[in-house]
Amino acid sequence: MKKPVFSLILCLFIKTVIAVEGMWIPTLLKKFNIEEMQKMGFRLSAEDIYDVNHASMKDAVVLFGSGCTGEVISGDGLLITNHHCGFGQIQKHSTLEHDYLSDGFWAKNRSGELVNPGLTVQFLVKMEDVTLEVMQCVNSDLAEDTIKKVIAANVEKIKNSYSGTEKYLVDVKPLFYGNQYFAYVYEVFKDIRLVGAPPVAIGKFGGDTDNWVWPRHTGDFSLFRIYAGKDNKPASWSPDNVPYRPKKFFPINLKGINEGDFTMVFGFPGTTQEYLPSQAVRLLIEKSNPNKVDARTVKLAILEKQMAKDPKVRIQYSSKAAGVSNAWKKWQGETKGLIRLHAIENKELEELEFSKWVSQDAEREKKYGSILSDFKKYYAELSEIQVAYDLYNETVLRGSDVFGLISRFSLMRQAIHDTAKFNKQKKSLSDYLPVYLKDYDRETDQLLLPALLKIYFERVDPKYLPEKLNSLKSAILNSSYVLSAYQKSLFSDSSKIKILCRDYSPKTQKKLQKDALFSLFATLSDHFTKNIEPSYQILGQQILKTQKIYMAAILDMKKGERIMADANLTLRVTYGKIEGFEPMDGVYYQYFTTLKGMMEKNNPAISDYVVPEKLKSLFLSKDYGPYSNSTGEVPIAFCASNHTTGGNSGSPVLNANGELIGVNFDRCWEGTMSDVLFDPERCRNISLDIRYALFIIDKFAGAGYLLDEMNLIR
Ligand code: ARG
Ligand code: GLU
């Protein structure tokens, strides 16, 4: 009796870390990863994941919009992604009469599916290493500017070489800071319709309070359908379009998951920076993150108060507030995680090793000898400019709605001598105006602007503030100036804005110059463009150039080893295991959550935690259908050790057989530093258990007819 118990305990203690860092390139899996993946349990081949000549998993994964992933789950182009990825669309279709945010939306049939102008999805047709072609005629004797021109011309040539009879989108992107290049060919679909979305109380359950946090009970999914022309090719919206017939769609596994199971995530991770020097990490931890966080703390406090007061404001600002809050919380987790990992000190140690390696060889000295001192010099210069740059973006350009709108008017001002450009700006402004006004609340915005400008004037080094405003500084700091400018401004009155936009002509210029709010923006923005942006750009270029050489040196130093490339919003594979983690000493988080836990969080007094009545009654009557787990509970989410980042939202989470078991939607807060430094012990991605999505569609929404087109593996 005793022995097995003992060895079980021993097993738990010596459990090796099996997380695999890295977001891997689909065409290189065979060379670098497939063997390891199979050792971890994967039962398919590299060709099953990516193949140009036969249908493979890549044909069922899309870039959804401009920054999420989605996957096809039926032969009729049905697509699943996150609720937060479709949030903008769901919100745009919502009004007080049809409040799809609060009530959810389920198209009764295909004709009830809602059109989303501007939304696209992109399938990767193929990708190819084009490094040699991009680098043709580039050599180190050329001046930096010339190199850029040669590369740009080569990239153009490559893009043109792909244009066949069919219309594809071709993109050429650098990897390893431009030490390697890949060309990506995409088929872009433009008629994407909303099929279904649960109410916010499910799709965003836990709201911004639980965002980034495990344990999680968010039903973060929404359904769309891809439409194509009768020839199954991309087409602009038309009533004659038909559901797209994909080359491949994912079967859905209802049999459930276990700790230790192999998982892979296949999607479009946006940005990681795993090769930053210590100075960059220091700037992030000590200045960039804290300043941006503080600005957003002020903004969020105002938004939350206003949204709680008025249901109309809640609808108008919910999408904006979610966006503001998301990065705000991530930056805090990232800072904390980096400090805990002693990231700066560790990078410094690595740099010491690096210099030793460089100094061993005269040739290396020549090529790489100045990298570290260059970084040191550039980052020292960047520090204060970075503060001005970050806070300009957070508080001036993107702080309030009104300055956002004025910045668009100001583009017209700049285009005034170029009729074609002017008309284009005017058209884009008049298209934008209704969208702006629908979600604009004057009272809220009037609170935001002065509060945010106050931070800008408090924190930015006076040498980066316009002298012209010196005499107003104290009135800006106590808000009186900004408030009175706002109240008197043309931009606080929607009918005046409409007329201004309609009748905009060169004469309007004079009128605008007299508007105190407009001229405040113009002064700040002109000063930024003349005195902050140029130095920021120049330093940025120098840093990038150094980073490219640093990267080349690392590749050289680690020649023969498997080296991961940073994410760049292209299709990648990451793999790991389903596993819980220890977020802090003395606490172990198990790998899954259930409906029971959601009921425990239920709290009518906190808007983030109100469980819908219908869900409560399903829970009480245990009406779970085939969607419960082995202990009879409905599973909601699970965590696993896949290295993911922003952009992976909505990505398919697949089991060893390539069947869909979940939809990725978040990372655990304790692991959000993984964009800079991955910790296999604490970095976990969070996925919706696919059984919960089906349970909600079928039992909660009564939209079980949607399941008929899926391939369910029971
Ligand atoms: N943290 C997730 C991501 O980075 C989800 C964001 C949406 N959810 C929210 N509550 N704001 O995008
Ligand atoms: N929610 C993120 C997204 O929208 C995924 C979470 C992450 O950053 O890993 O892509």
Side-chain angles (χ1 to χ4, degrees), residues 198-206 210 215-219 593-603 608-616 619 633-637 692 695-696 700:
V200 162
I202 290 173
K204 205 185 161 191
F205 182 80
D210 279 7
R216 191 67 157 277
H217 301 85
T218 313
T593 60
T594 66
L595 193 55
K596 195 170 98 198
M598 182 175 179
M599 295 302 147
E600 284 164 5
K601 278 184 181 169
N602 178 38
N603 185 342
D608 281 344
Y609 295 123
V610 183
V611 178
E613 286 309 320
K614 174 94 189 273
L615 198 53
K616 279 191 213 158
F619 176 71
E633 298 296 336
V634 174
I636 293 188
Y692 187 57
F695 168 75
I696 293 296
F700 176 83

mmCIF file of all heavy atoms in Angstrom, residues 198-206 210 215-219 593-603 608-616 619 633-637 692 695-696 700:
data_model
loop_
_atom_site.group_PDB
_atom_site.id
_atom_site.type_symbol
_atom_site.label_atom_id
_atom_site.label_comp_id
_atom_site.label_asym_id
_atom_site.label_seq_id
_atom_site.Cartn_x
_atom_site.Cartn_y
_atom_site.Cartn_z
ATOM 1 N N PRO A 198 -22.520 35.556 -26.617
ATOM 2 C CA PRO A 198 -23.219 35.495 -25.337
ATOM 3 C C PRO A 198 -23.309 36.904 -24.739
ATOM 4 O O PRO A 198 -22.592 37.799 -25.179
ATOM 5 C CB PRO A 198 -22.311 34.611 -24.485
ATOM 6 C CG PRO A 198 -20.948 34.779 -25.075
ATOM 7 C CD PRO A 198 -21.152 35.038 -26.537
ATOM 8 N N PRO A 199 -24.188 37.099 -23.761
ATOM 9 C CA PRO A 199 -24.212 38.392 -23.085
ATOM 10 C C PRO A 199 -22.874 38.660 -22.397
ATOM 11 O O PRO A 199 -22.143 37.718 -22.058
ATOM 12 C CB PRO A 199 -25.328 38.244 -22.055
ATOM 13 C CG PRO A 199 -25.566 36.788 -21.913
ATOM 14 C CD PRO A 199 -25.176 36.163 -23.208
ATOM 15 N N VAL A 200 -22.601 39.933 -22.178
ATOM 16 C CA VAL A 200 -21.374 40.323 -21.483
ATOM 17 C C VAL A 200 -21.235 39.591 -20.148
ATOM 18 O O VAL A 200 -20.128 39.223 -19.742
ATOM 19 C CB VAL A 200 -21.365 41.859 -21.295
ATOM 20 C CG1 VAL A 200 -20.390 42.271 -20.226
ATOM 21 C CG2 VAL A 200 -21.014 42.532 -22.606
ATOM 22 N N ALA A 201 -22.361 39.340 -19.497
ATOM 23 C CA ALA A 201 -22.318 38.668 -18.197
ATOM 24 C C ALA A 201 -21.730 37.252 -18.293
ATOM 25 O O ALA A 201 -21.368 36.653 -17.286
ATOM 26 C CB ALA A 201 -23.715 38.609 -17.590
ATOM 27 N N ILE A 202 -21.628 36.731 -19.523
ATOM 28 C CA ILE A 202 -20.923 35.462 -19.738
ATOM 29 C C ILE A 202 -19.614 35.717 -20.488
ATOM 30 O O ILE A 202 -18.538 35.326 -20.051
ATOM 31 C CB ILE A 202 -21.817 34.476 -20.533
ATOM 32 C CG1 ILE A 202 -22.971 34.008 -19.640
ATOM 33 C CG2 ILE A 202 -21.000 33.289 -21.042
ATOM 34 C CD1 ILE A 202 -24.005 33.168 -20.346
ATOM 35 N N GLY A 203 -19.714 36.423 -21.622
ATOM 36 C CA GLY A 203 -18.559 36.633 -22.499
ATOM 37 C C GLY A 203 -17.476 37.478 -21.856
ATOM 38 O O GLY A 203 -16.307 37.409 -22.247
ATOM 39 N N LYS A 204 -17.876 38.299 -20.884
ATOM 40 C CA LYS A 204 -16.879 39.130 -20.194
ATOM 41 C C LYS A 204 -17.066 38.976 -18.684
ATOM 42 O O LYS A 204 -16.772 39.904 -17.923
ATOM 43 C CB LYS A 204 -17.056 40.584 -20.638
ATOM 44 C CG LYS A 204 -15.804 41.418 -20.505
ATOM 45 C CD LYS A 204 -16.068 42.876 -20.847
ATOM 46 C CE LYS A 204 -14.967 43.743 -20.276
ATOM 47 N NZ LYS A 204 -15.271 45.161 -20.342
ATOM 48 N N PHE A 205 -17.574 37.802 -18.271
ATOM 49 C CA PHE A 205 -17.808 37.579 -16.843
ATOM 50 C C PHE A 205 -16.499 37.803 -16.074
ATOM 51 O O PHE A 205 -15.439 37.326 -16.477
ATOM 52 C CB PHE A 205 -18.307 36.150 -16.581
ATOM 53 C CG PHE A 205 -18.596 35.890 -15.125
ATOM 54 C CD1 PHE A 205 -19.789 36.317 -14.559
ATOM 55 C CD2 PHE A 205 -17.656 35.257 -14.310
ATOM 56 C CE1 PHE A 205 -20.052 36.111 -13.206
ATOM 57 C CE2 PHE A 205 -17.907 35.050 -12.958
ATOM 58 C CZ PHE A 205 -19.108 35.471 -12.405
ATOM 59 N N GLY A 206 -16.613 38.534 -14.979
ATOM 60 C CA GLY A 206 -15.389 38.857 -14.232
ATOM 61 C C GLY A 206 -14.785 40.171 -14.709
ATOM 62 O O GLY A 206 -13.961 40.765 -14.016
ATOM 63 N N ASP A 210 -11.367 40.444 -13.261
ATOM 64 C CA ASP A 210 -10.734 39.132 -13.432
ATOM 65 C C ASP A 210 -9.777 39.082 -14.621
ATOM 66 O O ASP A 210 -9.039 38.097 -14.772
ATOM 67 C CB ASP A 210 -11.798 38.052 -13.667
ATOM 68 C CG ASP A 210 -12.422 37.589 -12.356
ATOM 69 O OD1 ASP A 210 -12.120 38.205 -11.314
ATOM 70 O OD2 ASP A 210 -13.212 36.629 -12.386
ATOM 71 N N PRO A 215 -7.846 31.987 -10.981
ATOM 72 C CA PRO A 215 -8.814 31.210 -11.763
ATOM 73 C C PRO A 215 -9.864 32.090 -12.438
ATOM 74 O O PRO A 215 -10.255 33.107 -11.889
ATOM 75 C CB PRO A 215 -9.458 30.313 -10.705
ATOM 76 C CG PRO A 215 -9.248 31.016 -9.409
ATOM 77 C CD PRO A 215 -7.988 31.800 -9.536
ATOM 78 N N ARG A 216 -10.293 31.640 -13.599
ATOM 79 C CA ARG A 216 -11.100 32.467 -14.472
ATOM 80 C C ARG A 216 -12.391 31.764 -14.870
ATOM 81 O O ARG A 216 -12.390 30.559 -15.068
ATOM 82 C CB ARG A 216 -10.256 32.732 -15.717
ATOM 83 C CG ARG A 216 -10.801 33.777 -16.628
ATOM 84 C CD ARG A 216 -10.768 35.153 -15.991
ATOM 85 N NE ARG A 216 -10.785 36.152 -17.031
ATOM 86 C CZ ARG A 216 -9.721 36.547 -17.675
ATOM 87 N NH1 ARG A 216 -8.545 36.041 -17.383
ATOM 88 N NH2 ARG A 216 -9.820 37.449 -18.623
ATOM 89 N N HIS A 217 -13.460 32.558 -15.026
ATOM 90 C CA HIS A 217 -14.756 31.970 -15.384
ATOM 91 C C HIS A 217 -15.424 32.725 -16.521
ATOM 92 O O HIS A 217 -16.637 32.873 -16.560
ATOM 93 C CB HIS A 217 -15.660 31.923 -14.142
ATOM 94 C CG HIS A 217 -15.076 31.120 -13.023
ATOM 95 N ND1 HIS A 217 -14.184 31.649 -12.107
ATOM 96 C CD2 HIS A 217 -15.208 29.809 -12.701
ATOM 97 C CE1 HIS A 217 -13.811 30.701 -11.255
ATOM 98 N NE2 HIS A 217 -14.421 29.573 -11.592
ATOM 99 N N THR A 218 -14.606 33.208 -17.450
ATOM 100 C CA THR A 218 -15.125 34.023 -18.552
ATOM 101 C C THR A 218 -15.459 33.147 -19.760
ATOM 102 O O THR A 218 -14.617 32.367 -20.207
ATOM 103 C CB THR A 218 -14.058 35.061 -18.966
ATOM 104 O OG1 THR A 218 -13.547 35.683 -17.787
ATOM 105 C CG2 THR A 218 -14.646 36.110 -19.880
ATOM 106 N N GLY A 219 -16.662 33.309 -20.291
ATOM 107 C CA GLY A 219 -17.065 32.579 -21.510
ATOM 108 C C GLY A 219 -16.695 33.414 -22.726
ATOM 109 O O GLY A 219 -17.560 33.844 -23.493
ATOM 110 N N THR A 593 -11.348 25.361 -14.294
ATOM 111 C CA THR A 593 -12.426 25.949 -13.488
ATOM 112 C C THR A 593 -13.768 25.425 -13.998
ATOM 113 O O THR A 593 -13.850 24.908 -15.111
ATOM 114 C CB THR A 593 -12.449 27.480 -13.599
ATOM 115 O OG1 THR A 593 -12.652 27.832 -14.975
ATOM 116 C CG2 THR A 593 -11.161 28.096 -13.108
ATOM 117 N N THR A 594 -14.802 25.586 -13.184
ATOM 118 C CA THR A 594 -16.117 25.070 -13.569
ATOM 119 C C THR A 594 -17.224 26.070 -13.248
ATOM 120 O O THR A 594 -17.016 27.061 -12.553
ATOM 121 C CB THR A 594 -16.454 23.770 -12.810
ATOM 122 O OG1 THR A 594 -16.601 24.108 -11.416
ATOM 123 C CG2 THR A 594 -15.388 22.705 -12.964
ATOM 124 N N LEU A 595 -18.400 25.723 -13.745
ATOM 125 C CA LEU A 595 -19.592 26.543 -13.516
ATOM 126 C C LEU A 595 -19.862 26.731 -12.020
ATOM 127 O O LEU A 595 -20.354 27.768 -11.585
ATOM 128 C CB LEU A 595 -20.790 25.848 -14.194
ATOM 129 C CG LEU A 595 -22.072 26.641 -14.361
ATOM 130 C CD1 LEU A 595 -21.833 27.955 -15.092
ATOM 131 C CD2 LEU A 595 -23.110 25.815 -15.133
ATOM 132 N N LYS A 596 -19.491 25.718 -11.248
ATOM 133 C CA LYS A 596 -19.676 25.821 -9.803
ATOM 134 C C LYS A 596 -18.929 27.039 -9.253
ATOM 135 O O LYS A 596 -19.448 27.807 -8.447
ATOM 136 C CB LYS A 596 -19.153 24.530 -9.143
ATOM 137 C CG LYS A 596 -19.612 24.354 -7.725
ATOM 138 C CD LYS A 596 -19.282 22.961 -7.225
ATOM 139 C CE LYS A 596 -17.990 23.044 -6.427
ATOM 140 N NZ LYS A 596 -17.322 21.762 -6.235
ATOM 141 N N GLY A 597 -17.714 27.222 -9.750
ATOM 142 C CA GLY A 597 -16.903 28.359 -9.311
ATOM 143 C C GLY A 597 -17.499 29.684 -9.754
ATOM 144 O O GLY A 597 -17.400 30.696 -9.048
ATOM 145 N N MET A 598 -18.127 29.669 -10.909
ATOM 146 C CA MET A 598 -18.767 30.904 -11.391
ATOM 147 C C MET A 598 -19.915 31.278 -10.458
ATOM 148 O O MET A 598 -20.099 32.445 -10.110
ATOM 149 C CB MET A 598 -19.266 30.680 -12.816
ATOM 150 C CG MET A 598 -19.910 31.917 -13.435
ATOM 151 S SD MET A 598 -20.326 31.581 -15.161
ATOM 152 C CE MET A 598 -21.063 33.133 -15.634
ATOM 153 N N MET A 599 -20.674 30.249 -10.042
ATOM 154 C CA MET A 599 -21.785 30.502 -9.115
ATOM 155 C C MET A 599 -21.263 31.048 -7.789
ATOM 156 O O MET A 599 -21.897 31.892 -7.171
ATOM 157 C CB MET A 599 -22.582 29.217 -8.857
ATOM 158 C CG MET A 599 -23.284 28.699 -10.077
ATOM 159 S SD MET A 599 -24.413 29.908 -10.787
ATOM 160 C CE MET A 599 -24.274 29.489 -12.494
ATOM 161 N N GLU A 600 -20.100 30.572 -7.390
ATOM 162 C CA GLU A 600 -19.525 31.074 -6.134
ATOM 163 C C GLU A 600 -19.114 32.537 -6.257
ATOM 164 O O GLU A 600 -19.140 33.288 -5.289
ATOM 165 C CB GLU A 600 -18.321 30.208 -5.712
ATOM 166 C CG GLU A 600 -18.741 28.877 -5.118
ATOM 167 C CD GLU A 600 -17.609 27.846 -5.060
ATOM 168 O OE1 GLU A 600 -16.461 28.196 -5.407
ATOM 169 O OE2 GLU A 600 -17.897 26.693 -4.685
ATOM 170 N N LYS A 601 -18.735 32.938 -7.470
ATOM 171 C CA LYS A 601 -18.362 34.345 -7.664
ATOM 172 C C LYS A 601 -19.605 35.236 -7.792
ATOM 173 O O LYS A 601 -19.507 36.463 -7.682
ATOM 174 C CB LYS A 601 -17.516 34.493 -8.930
ATOM 175 C CG LYS A 601 -16.037 34.156 -8.763
ATOM 176 C CD LYS A 601 -15.270 34.439 -10.062
ATOM 177 C CE LYS A 601 -13.787 34.080 -9.926
ATOM 178 N NZ LYS A 601 -13.081 34.091 -11.226
ATOM 179 N N ASN A 602 -20.751 34.630 -8.083
ATOM 180 C CA ASN A 602 -21.974 35.418 -8.316
ATOM 181 C C ASN A 602 -22.188 36.444 -7.204
ATOM 182 O O ASN A 602 -22.149 36.107 -6.026
ATOM 183 C CB ASN A 602 -23.176 34.472 -8.375
ATOM 184 C CG ASN A 602 -24.480 35.242 -8.563
ATOM 185 O OD1 ASN A 602 -24.506 36.221 -9.301
ATOM 186 N ND2 ASN A 602 -25.527 34.809 -7.880
ATOM 187 N N ASN A 603 -22.386 37.699 -7.618
ATOM 188 C CA ASN A 603 -22.619 38.745 -6.636
ATOM 189 C C ASN A 603 -23.403 39.882 -7.279
ATOM 190 O O ASN A 603 -22.858 40.662 -8.055
ATOM 191 C CB ASN A 603 -21.267 39.262 -6.118
ATOM 192 C CG ASN A 603 -21.437 40.267 -4.998
ATOM 193 O OD1 ASN A 603 -22.525 40.838 -4.824
ATOM 194 N ND2 ASN A 603 -20.382 40.495 -4.253
ATOM 195 N N ASP A 608 -19.447 43.148 -12.397
ATOM 196 C CA ASP A 608 -18.634 42.161 -13.097
ATOM 197 C C ASP A 608 -19.042 40.717 -12.773
ATOM 198 O O ASP A 608 -18.669 39.796 -13.490
ATOM 199 C CB ASP A 608 -17.151 42.323 -12.715
ATOM 200 C CG ASP A 608 -16.495 43.479 -13.458
ATOM 201 O OD1 ASP A 608 -17.083 43.932 -14.465
ATOM 202 O OD2 ASP A 608 -15.422 43.927 -13.030
ATOM 203 N N TYR A 609 -19.760 40.536 -11.671
ATOM 204 C CA TYR A 609 -20.027 39.172 -11.195
ATOM 205 C C TYR A 609 -21.513 38.807 -11.119
ATOM 206 O O TYR A 609 -21.915 38.040 -10.259
ATOM 207 C CB TYR A 609 -19.404 38.970 -9.806
ATOM 208 C CG TYR A 609 -17.898 39.047 -9.793
ATOM 209 C CD1 TYR A 609 -17.231 39.964 -8.989
ATOM 210 C CD2 TYR A 609 -17.146 38.186 -10.593
ATOM 211 C CE1 TYR A 609 -15.846 40.036 -8.972
ATOM 212 C CE2 TYR A 609 -15.760 38.263 -10.588
ATOM 213 C CZ TYR A 609 -15.113 39.178 -9.779
ATOM 214 O OH TYR A 609 -13.757 39.247 -9.773
ATOM 215 N N VAL A 610 -22.302 39.381 -12.012
ATOM 216 C CA VAL A 610 -23.720 39.032 -11.988
ATOM 217 C C VAL A 610 -23.966 37.875 -12.956
ATOM 218 O O VAL A 610 -23.805 38.015 -14.160
ATOM 219 C CB VAL A 610 -24.590 40.250 -12.381
ATOM 220 C CG1 VAL A 610 -26.059 39.891 -12.285
ATOM 221 C CG2 VAL A 610 -24.253 41.440 -11.497
ATOM 222 N N VAL A 611 -24.338 36.721 -12.416
ATOM 223 C CA VAL A 611 -24.601 35.554 -13.266
ATOM 224 C C VAL A 611 -26.026 35.656 -13.821
ATOM 225 O O VAL A 611 -26.966 35.884 -13.062
ATOM 226 C CB VAL A 611 -24.449 34.247 -12.450
ATOM 227 C CG1 VAL A 611 -24.778 33.035 -13.313
ATOM 228 C CG2 VAL A 611 -23.039 34.134 -11.882
ATOM 229 N N PRO A 612 -26.205 35.486 -15.137
ATOM 230 C CA PRO A 612 -27.550 35.553 -15.714
ATOM 231 C C PRO A 612 -28.487 34.496 -15.099
ATOM 232 O O PRO A 612 -28.041 33.382 -14.795
ATOM 233 C CB PRO A 612 -27.330 35.259 -17.194
ATOM 234 C CG PRO A 612 -25.888 35.526 -17.446
ATOM 235 C CD PRO A 612 -25.177 35.267 -16.154
ATOM 236 N N GLU A 613 -29.760 34.873 -14.936
ATOM 237 C CA GLU A 613 -30.759 33.981 -14.312
ATOM 238 C C GLU A 613 -30.802 32.613 -14.986
ATOM 239 O O GLU A 613 -30.831 31.579 -14.330
ATOM 240 C CB GLU A 613 -32.146 34.618 -14.361
ATOM 241 C CG GLU A 613 -32.338 35.775 -13.365
ATOM 242 C CD GLU A 613 -31.944 35.416 -11.928
ATOM 243 O OE1 GLU A 613 -32.251 34.278 -11.497
ATOM 244 O OE2 GLU A 613 -31.280 36.264 -11.270
ATOM 245 N N LYS A 614 -30.824 32.653 -16.312
ATOM 246 C CA LYS A 614 -30.958 31.400 -17.060
ATOM 247 C C LYS A 614 -29.798 30.440 -16.736
ATOM 248 O O LYS A 614 -29.999 29.228 -16.604
ATOM 249 C CB LYS A 614 -30.982 31.732 -18.563
ATOM 250 C CG LYS A 614 -30.977 30.541 -19.504
ATOM 251 C CD LYS A 614 -32.383 30.132 -19.915
ATOM 252 C CE LYS A 614 -32.441 28.817 -20.667
ATOM 253 N NZ LYS A 614 -32.254 28.943 -22.097
ATOM 254 N N LEU A 615 -28.621 30.995 -16.594
ATOM 255 C CA LEU A 615 -27.462 30.154 -16.295
ATOM 256 C C LEU A 615 -27.586 29.563 -14.890
ATOM 257 O O LEU A 615 -27.258 28.395 -14.650
ATOM 258 C CB LEU A 615 -26.177 30.987 -16.433
ATOM 259 C CG LEU A 615 -24.861 30.228 -16.581
ATOM 260 C CD1 LEU A 615 -24.915 29.227 -17.714
ATOM 261 C CD2 LEU A 615 -23.714 31.212 -16.827
ATOM 262 N N LYS A 616 -28.111 30.391 -13.972
ATOM 263 C CA LYS A 616 -28.329 29.902 -12.605
ATOM 264 C C LYS A 616 -29.279 28.715 -12.623
ATOM 265 O O LYS A 616 -29.051 27.708 -11.963
ATOM 266 C CB LYS A 616 -28.947 31.006 -11.744
ATOM 267 C CG LYS A 616 -27.948 31.995 -11.216
ATOM 268 C CD LYS A 616 -28.652 32.865 -10.171
ATOM 269 C CE LYS A 616 -28.097 34.269 -10.193
ATOM 270 N NZ LYS A 616 -28.982 35.267 -9.640
ATOM 271 N N PHE A 619 -27.782 25.628 -13.858
ATOM 272 C CA PHE A 619 -26.882 25.088 -12.833
ATOM 273 C C PHE A 619 -27.679 24.347 -11.762
ATOM 274 O O PHE A 619 -27.330 23.228 -11.372
ATOM 275 C CB PHE A 619 -26.080 26.234 -12.207
ATOM 276 C CG PHE A 619 -25.198 25.792 -11.074
ATOM 277 C CD1 PHE A 619 -24.062 25.038 -11.306
ATOM 278 C CD2 PHE A 619 -25.500 26.145 -9.758
ATOM 279 C CE1 PHE A 619 -23.241 24.628 -10.262
ATOM 280 C CE2 PHE A 619 -24.691 25.741 -8.706
ATOM 281 C CZ PHE A 619 -23.558 24.975 -8.959
ATOM 282 N N GLU A 633 -19.303 18.319 -13.494
ATOM 283 C CA GLU A 633 -19.403 19.785 -13.530
ATOM 284 C C GLU A 633 -19.217 20.285 -14.968
ATOM 285 O O GLU A 633 -18.555 19.626 -15.770
ATOM 286 C CB GLU A 633 -18.296 20.415 -12.666
ATOM 287 C CG GLU A 633 -18.339 20.059 -11.194
ATOM 288 C CD GLU A 633 -19.596 20.564 -10.503
ATOM 289 O OE1 GLU A 633 -20.195 21.535 -10.999
ATOM 290 O OE2 GLU A 633 -19.985 19.959 -9.484
ATOM 291 N N VAL A 634 -19.748 21.477 -15.237
ATOM 292 C CA VAL A 634 -19.488 22.059 -16.558
ATOM 293 C C VAL A 634 -18.150 22.805 -16.496
ATOM 294 O O VAL A 634 -17.983 23.726 -15.704
ATOM 295 C CB VAL A 634 -20.604 23.044 -16.973
ATOM 296 C CG1 VAL A 634 -20.234 23.747 -18.277
ATOM 297 C CG2 VAL A 634 -21.921 22.312 -17.125
ATOM 298 N N PRO A 635 -17.181 22.384 -17.294
ATOM 299 C CA PRO A 635 -15.878 23.065 -17.283
ATOM 300 C C PRO A 635 -15.992 24.424 -17.968
ATOM 301 O O PRO A 635 -16.745 24.571 -18.924
ATOM 302 C CB PRO A 635 -14.992 22.134 -18.106
ATOM 303 C CG PRO A 635 -15.931 21.424 -19.027
ATOM 304 C CD PRO A 635 -17.237 21.305 -18.300
ATOM 305 N N ILE A 636 -15.246 25.412 -17.479
ATOM 306 C CA ILE A 636 -15.278 26.730 -18.135
ATOM 307 C C ILE A 636 -13.941 27.068 -18.788
ATOM 308 O O ILE A 636 -13.883 27.367 -19.971
ATOM 309 C CB ILE A 636 -15.698 27.838 -17.137
ATOM 310 C CG1 ILE A 636 -17.164 27.631 -16.723
ATOM 311 C CG2 ILE A 636 -15.520 29.218 -17.779
ATOM 312 C CD1 ILE A 636 -17.765 28.746 -15.892
ATOM 313 N N ALA A 637 -12.861 27.010 -18.007
ATOM 314 C CA ALA A 637 -11.572 27.430 -18.579
ATOM 315 C C ALA A 637 -10.475 26.488 -18.106
ATOM 316 O O ALA A 637 -10.661 25.740 -17.145
ATOM 317 C CB ALA A 637 -11.257 28.855 -18.164
ATOM 318 N N TYR A 692 -17.603 24.434 -22.824
ATOM 319 C CA TYR A 692 -18.403 25.527 -22.255
ATOM 320 C C TYR A 692 -19.052 26.357 -23.369
ATOM 321 O O TYR A 692 -20.223 26.721 -23.278
ATOM 322 C CB TYR A 692 -17.529 26.412 -21.369
ATOM 323 C CG TYR A 692 -18.310 27.472 -20.615
ATOM 324 C CD1 TYR A 692 -19.365 27.123 -19.765
ATOM 325 C CD2 TYR A 692 -18.001 28.828 -20.752
ATOM 326 C CE1 TYR A 692 -20.079 28.094 -19.073
ATOM 327 C CE2 TYR A 692 -18.702 29.801 -20.058
ATOM 328 C CZ TYR A 692 -19.746 29.435 -19.215
ATOM 329 O OH TYR A 692 -20.452 30.404 -18.536
ATOM 330 N N PHE A 695 -21.950 24.363 -24.580
ATOM 331 C CA PHE A 695 -22.992 24.385 -23.551
ATOM 332 C C PHE A 695 -23.784 25.703 -23.626
ATOM 333 O O PHE A 695 -25.018 25.715 -23.593
ATOM 334 C CB PHE A 695 -22.334 24.219 -22.174
ATOM 335 C CG PHE A 695 -23.226 24.503 -21.000
ATOM 336 C CD1 PHE A 695 -24.213 23.592 -20.607
ATOM 337 C CD2 PHE A 695 -23.089 25.687 -20.277
ATOM 338 C CE1 PHE A 695 -25.032 23.857 -19.512
ATOM 339 C CE2 PHE A 695 -23.906 25.959 -19.185
ATOM 340 C CZ PHE A 695 -24.879 25.043 -18.807
ATOM 341 N N ILE A 696 -23.064 26.810 -23.752
ATOM 342 C CA ILE A 696 -23.737 28.111 -23.810
ATOM 343 C C ILE A 696 -24.577 28.230 -25.087
ATOM 344 O O ILE A 696 -25.736 28.655 -25.050
ATOM 345 C CB ILE A 696 -22.699 29.270 -23.731
ATOM 346 C CG1 ILE A 696 -22.027 29.290 -22.350
ATOM 347 C CG2 ILE A 696 -23.338 30.620 -24.028
ATOM 348 C CD1 ILE A 696 -22.950 29.581 -21.190
ATOM 349 N N PHE A 700 -27.868 27.378 -23.091
ATOM 350 C CA PHE A 700 -28.193 28.722 -22.608
ATOM 351 C C PHE A 700 -28.931 29.526 -23.677
ATOM 352 O O PHE A 700 -29.958 30.144 -23.423
ATOM 353 C CB PHE A 700 -26.918 29.459 -22.185
ATOM 354 C CG PHE A 700 -27.160 30.882 -21.756
ATOM 355 C CD1 PHE A 700 -27.575 31.179 -20.457
ATOM 356 C CD2 PHE A 700 -26.996 31.933 -22.656
ATOM 357 C CE1 PHE A 700 -27.818 32.490 -20.066
ATOM 358 C CE2 PHE A 700 -27.232 33.247 -22.267
ATOM 359 C CZ PHE A 700 -27.642 33.522 -20.973
#
